[in-house]
Structure formats: C-alpha cells, structure tokens
Amino acid sequence: MAPRDEWSVGCRDLAGRRRDVTVFVSSDKIVLVAPPGEAAVLGPLDVGRLRAALRDAVVAVAEHPDHSE
C-alpha cells in the first residue's frame, strides 16, 4: 500500500458539531466513513477537499498491485 491511503475531511453534523468524513483504501476499493449515526454537512471548501481525497484514493487504488478491472 502507498504511504498515504487514508484522508480525513472536516465537516459538521446537523447539530453543528465538528466531525470528520474519512476516505480510505481497502484493497482495491475506496471506503467513505461518515460520522456514526450522523449526516455530514460540508461547505464548498470541504466538498473540494472531499473531491481531492476521493481523487487521491482512486489514484492509490489504480497503483495498488491487486487492482484489476
């Protein structure tokens, strides 16, 4: 696995508390973990960060030796 296979994006829940959405690579899949039992509320900059994390995760999966399409 590449050295960076996990990314965290700040967000808020519906009550306004700070939370994180985590993006990580598991084998040849990309996993998104939202705050447990919550909705993730993202502002425009946070959406950009989530997009970048997903893009980086896709690159990590494509470079993974077990990747097959």
Side-chain angles (χ1 to χ4, degrees), residues 16 20 27 38 56-57 60 69:
D20 289 304
S27 193
E38 300 284 349
D56 292 346
E69 273 193 44

Side-chain angles (χ1 to χ4, degrees), residues 8-12 19-21 41-43 46 49:
S8 182
V9 178
C11 65
R12 297 206 179 253
R19 299 287 189 246
D20 289 304
V21 172
V41 180
L42 302 167
D46 298 324
R49 289 182 185 105

Side-chain angles (χ1 to χ4, degrees), residues 1-2 5 25-28 58-68:
M1 248 188 230
D5 287 337
V25 174
S26 175
S27 193
D28 65 343
V58 167
V59 169
V61 165
E63 293 173 348
H64 195 276
D66 296 337
H67 176 70
S68 61

